């Protein structure tokens, strides 16, 4: 696409430096953004991408360097100052008020209609519904706390679309979205670009970057590595620049034929009478089983019911052929079935607690004597599991918040391994994780499967399911509507067709 751009960039960052005590997060970072372009900003976790954009949005202040907007050097002391300059940011971490409605969250900054004493709530709801309908037609009177994580992400994006901005920054906007929702968002971003808006797109997903963006800036260790037109690069070149080394294989080899392996987990006629019905499947020893589906299909709810986190109205769960009660998560842990939530910050890890306490949180008795935690034993236990998952850390007593997203996820995985489980359910296991850490997590999961553990993965990234899993179950409106095994039918098109409730042959005929 040919874009007529002025000679002066809309936004330019020169020699930005930012330190957090001894850690230098940015070292002479550079970035420029033209009018009417989508500019990708890529880098591994800890590369400095979010820090740089938080400076642009006024959340952080640089130690040195220049911020130039439309040719004029500016200071941005606060997010409100950024908005007055026409700059908005969609954060990766959801920041909504759960007890307010969608409409109230979208227009929270509006305290009164112009020239009137009271808020016109009817008009507010109408305007909010118009914005939400562009993404997903969720009723805007819905309480945000009743939405799924993916729907809350859509509300975050919608909130940004209500701002009168010339520069919009999106930090991992599709991390919680399925493919159809992401494609709808891409259409909106292309429309904004066509109207002259400037967009910064932070993502770890190469396919999205190459399908959507005009240019890409790569950062590593707080430094600017390169800025190029997307048309001049390949995904392999970008990945090698991101990690500073050649990353030849993202996914480990899959297991050999597992058809003769006995099931470690058998689920029969599972229902909750609301979100899913008559769900039945097997997970074999040594298998990585994927669950695909659109937002609201019921994938997470099925996993929660299997793991005792959600009540079920009917169904049986058997472990190694023996029916087990699964009426609570504590009972599930004792049975050897564990679950990793998609909401890492909310329920995956305790970010303010030490790494050691996070790792041992599922079974404190493992490191206790006479009912008291033996801290030395706890540290040794956590250290051993940390080494097993390749955890990169400072001290084992440092808070989890000191780690990158990928290493926080490794802490969550280590915690599950602390109880020596037979079955592990992982919901969006690499959300917000850079490509290098993704490869490491995939190796961990394949290693666990090779040792006989049953692994079940829920993911909205179809390339992840296709590359990692031995078999994929497709969920549509609370029912398993298809099974895809490794082979010619394990494609994004085939899986999306099933997830949409269509029969593949009908789709092909159309």
């Amino acid at each position: 696409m040919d874009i007529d751009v002025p000679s002066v960039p809309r936004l330019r960052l020169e020699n930005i430096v930012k330190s957090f005590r001894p850690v230098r997060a940015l070292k002479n970072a550079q970035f420029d953004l033209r009018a009417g372009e989508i500019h990708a900003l890529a880098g591994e976790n800890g590369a400095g991408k979010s820090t740089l954009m938080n400076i642009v949005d006024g959340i952080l202040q640089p130690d040195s360097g220049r911020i130039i907007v439309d040719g004029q050097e500016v200071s941005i002391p606060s997010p409100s100052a950024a908005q007055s300059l026409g700059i908005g940011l969609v954060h990766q971490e959801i920041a909504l008020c759960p007890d307010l409605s969608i409409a109230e969250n979208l227009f929270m900054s509006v305290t009164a209609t112009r020239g009137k004493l009271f808020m016109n709530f009817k008009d507010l709801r109408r305007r909010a519904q118009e914005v939400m309908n562009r993404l997903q037609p969720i009723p805007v009177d819905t309480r945000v706390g009743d939405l799924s994580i993916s729907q809350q992400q859509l509300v975050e994006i919608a909130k940004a679309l209500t701002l009168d901005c010339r520069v919009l920054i999106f930090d991992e906007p599709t991390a919680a979205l399925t493919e159809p929702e992401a494609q709808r968002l891409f259409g909106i971003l292309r429309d904004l670009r066509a109207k002259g808006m400037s967009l910064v797109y932070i993502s770890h997903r190469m396919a999205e970057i190459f399908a959507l963006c005009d240019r890409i800036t790569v950062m590593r260790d707080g430094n600017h590595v390169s800025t190029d037109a997307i048309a001049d690069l390949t995904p392999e070149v970008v990945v090698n620049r991101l990690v500073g080394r050649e990353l030849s294989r993202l996914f480990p080899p899959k297991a050999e034929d597992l058809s003769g392996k006995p099931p470690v987990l058998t689920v029969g006629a599972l229902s909750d009478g609301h979100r899913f019905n008559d769900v039945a499947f097997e997970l074999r020893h040594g298998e990585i089983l994927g669950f695909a589906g659109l937002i609201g299909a019921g994938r997470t709810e099925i996993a929660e019911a299997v793991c005792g986190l959600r009540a079920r109205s009917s169904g049986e769960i058997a472990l190694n052929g023996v029916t087990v009660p699964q009426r609570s998560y504590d009972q599930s842990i004792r049975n050897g079935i564990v679950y990793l939530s998609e909401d890492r910050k909310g329920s995956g890890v305790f970010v303010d607690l030490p790494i050691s306490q996070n790792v041992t949180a599922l079974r404190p008795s493992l490191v206790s004597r006479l009912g008291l935690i033996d801290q030395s034993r706890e540290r040794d236990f956590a250290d051993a599991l940390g080494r097993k998952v390749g955890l990169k850390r400072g001290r084992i007593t440092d808070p989890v918040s000191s780690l990158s997203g990928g290493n926080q996820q490794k802490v969550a995985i280590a915690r599950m391994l602390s109880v020596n489980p037979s079955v592990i359910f992982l919901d969006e296991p690499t959300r917000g994780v850079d490509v290098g850490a993704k490869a490491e997590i995939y190796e961990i999961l394949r290693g666990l499967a090779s040792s006989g553990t049953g692994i079940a993965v829920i993911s909205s990234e179809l390339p992840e399911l296709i590359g990692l899993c031995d078999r994929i179950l497709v969920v549509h409106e609370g029912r398993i509507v298809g099974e895809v095994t490794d082979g010619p039918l394990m494609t994004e098109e085939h899986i999306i067709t099933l997830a949409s409730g269509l029969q593949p042959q009908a789709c092909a005929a159309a």
Side-chain angles (χ1 to χ4, degrees):
M1 175 180 178
D2 294 328
I3 300 173
D4 183 20
V5 296
S7 57
V8 176
R10 179 160 285 172
L11 172 68
R12 185 175 182 85
L13 307 175
E14 296 180 351
N15 304 319
I16 302 295
V17 175
K18 179 65 179 178
S19 297
F20 297 95
R21 295 180 180 174
V23 178
R24 200 171 192 185
L26 295 174
K27 311 161 189 174
N28 297 314
Q30 317 284 334
F31 185 80
D32 74 90
L33 179 66
R34 300 168 181 167
E37 78 163 340
I38 304 177
H39 192 142
L41 181 58
E44 292 195 281
N45 287 336
K49 312 180 300 297
S50 295
T51 300
L52 187 63
M53 291 302 105
N54 281 335
I55 286 173
V56 174
D57 196 48
I59 297 169
L60 298 173
Q61 299 304 306
D63 298 334
S64 60
R66 302 174 71 213
I67 304 173
I68 302 168
V69 177
D70 293 328
Q72 300 293 319
E73 185 172 354
V74 299
S75 173
I76 308 179
S78 66
S80 60
Q83 190 170 340
S84 70
L85 292 168
I87 299 170
L89 171 60
V90 180
H91 294 273
Q92 179 181 353
E93 301 297 336
I94 293 170
L96 300 170
C97 294
D99 293 323
L100 297 182
S101 70
I102 293 174
E104 290 166 327
N105 271 274
L106 292 190
F107 294 101
M108 193 174 298
S109 61
V110 180
T111 56
T113 53
R114 183 173 297 177
K116 296 182 179 180
L117 181 60
F118 299 105
M119 176 77 71
N120 185 339
F121 283 99
K122 182 178 179 180
D123 182 61
L124 181 146
R125 287 192 293 270
R126 178 188 60 77
R127 292 160 57 198
Q129 194 66 67
E130 288 176 355
V131 176
M132 280 306 305
N133 286 346
R134 299 174 69 184
L135 293 162
Q136 190 179 94
I138 308 169
V140 295
D141 287 327
T142 305
R143 177 179 171 272
V144 163
D146 295 331
L147 301 176
S148 68
I149 294 296
S150 56
Q151 290 171 325
Q152 289 181 30
Q153 184 67 59
L154 290 174
V155 175
E156 278 284 4
I157 295 167
K159 187 167 66 173
L161 297 179
T162 66
L163 303 176
D164 183 20
C165 292
R166 294 179 302 142
V167 173
L168 263 181
I169 303 163
F170 292 86
D171 193 352
E172 296 285 353
T174 63
L177 306 184
T178 58
E179 185 67 19
E181 296 299 334
Q183 291 300 327
R184 188 177 298 179
L185 173 63
F186 297 160
I188 292 171
L189 300 188
R190 292 186 180 105
D191 288 344
L192 294 174
R193 174 178 61 185
K195 294 174 182 176
M197 187 175 289
S198 304
L199 307 173
V200 181
Y201 193 83
I202 301 175
S203 179
H204 293 119
R205 300 179 177 182
M206 289 297 108
E208 291 182 0
I209 288 173
F210 275 78
L212 182 67
C213 300
D214 304 296
R215 290 193 296 157
I216 181 171
T217 290
V218 176
M219 295 183 66
R220 187 170 66 246
D221 298 328
N223 290 300
H224 172 270
V225 174
S226 62
T227 297
D228 297 276
I230 286 290
D232 296 335
L233 299 173
T234 65
E236 291 75 20
V237 169
V238 174
V239 169
N240 291 341
R241 289 180 181 178
L242 291 174
V243 300
R245 63 188 187 280
E246 185 174 352
L247 194 63
S248 59
R249 191 184 71 197
L250 181 59
F251 298 103
K254 295 189 179 183
E256 297 180 1
D257 184 21
L258 294 167
S259 58
K261 293 277 188 180
V264 61
L265 176 72
T266 303
V267 175
L270 190 69
S271 301
D272 73 345
H274 174 53
R275 299 301 300 274
F276 60 88
N277 289 283
D278 198 27
V279 170
F281 64 90
E282 290 182 345
L283 172 60
R284 303 179 182 118
H285 281 276
E287 180 180 35
I288 299 182
L289 176 66
F291 284 81
L294 305 181
I295 290 175
R299 299 167 301 166
T300 294
E301 290 80 2
I302 290 169
E304 289 176 342
V306 172
C307 296
L309 289 161
R310 174 181 288 267
R312 65 181 193 269
S313 58
S314 63
E316 286 194 350
I317 299 166
L319 194 63
N320 294 312
V322 178
T323 300
V324 292
Q326 292 284 91
R327 299 302 179 186
S328 69
Y329 188 47
D330 183 61
Q331 197 170 51
S332 179
I333 293 170
R334 291 197 300 271
N335 291 332
I337 305 175
V338 294
Y339 172 76
L340 177 58
S341 169
E342 63 178 328
D343 185 6
R344 182 171 66 234
K345 295 291 179 66
S347 53
V349 292
F350 305 109
V351 293
D352 295 325
L353 291 182
I355 297 167
S356 54
Q357 291 183 19
N358 269 271
V359 172
T360 61
L362 288 185
R363 190 69 62 80
S365 60
L366 293 171
V367 293
S368 300
R369 297 180 188 274
L370 302 176
L372 299 175
I373 298 293
D374 184 327
Q375 293 185 353
S376 175
R377 190 177 177 185
E378 180 182 64
R379 290 191 295 268
D380 291 344
F381 185 82
D383 181 63
L385 281 175
R387 288 197 303 271
K388 184 173 183 177
V389 298
L391 179 65
K392 298 178 180 67
R393 59 173 177 82
R395 296 171 299 180
I396 199 70
T397 54
D398 287 343
V400 169
S401 59
S402 67
L403 303 176
S404 68
N407 282 298
Q408 289 183 14
Q409 196 73 335
K410 289 179 182 179
V411 169
I413 293 172
R415 181 168 67 187
M416 292 190 299
L417 298 184
S418 69
V419 296
N420 194 28
S422 300
V423 174
I424 300 175
F425 278 83
L426 303 105
D427 201 344
E428 305 290 354
T430 63
R431 174 175 292 165
V433 171
D434 63 66
V435 65
K438 280 186 177 184
E440 293 174 355
I441 289 173
Y442 297 152
E443 288 284 355
I444 292 168
L445 298 183
R446 181 53 68 185
L448 290 169
S450 298
S451 69
T453 305
I455 306 290
V457 174
I458 301 168
S459 178
S460 299
E461 287 193 56
L462 291 182
E464 177 171 82
L465 290 177
I466 292 168
L468 178 64
C469 298
D470 304 301
R471 190 164 51 101
I472 299 172
L473 301 178
V474 184
V475 183
H476 172 70
E477 294 184 352
R479 296 180 183 273
I480 295 176
V481 294
E483 175 182 315
V484 184
T485 56
D486 195 29
L489 289 180
M490 193 177 271
T491 65
E492 293 187 45
E493 293 79 8
H494 184 67
I495 294 169
I496 289 175
T497 298
L498 292 170
S500 301
L502 302 174
Q503 291 299 318
Q505 54 267 38
C507 181

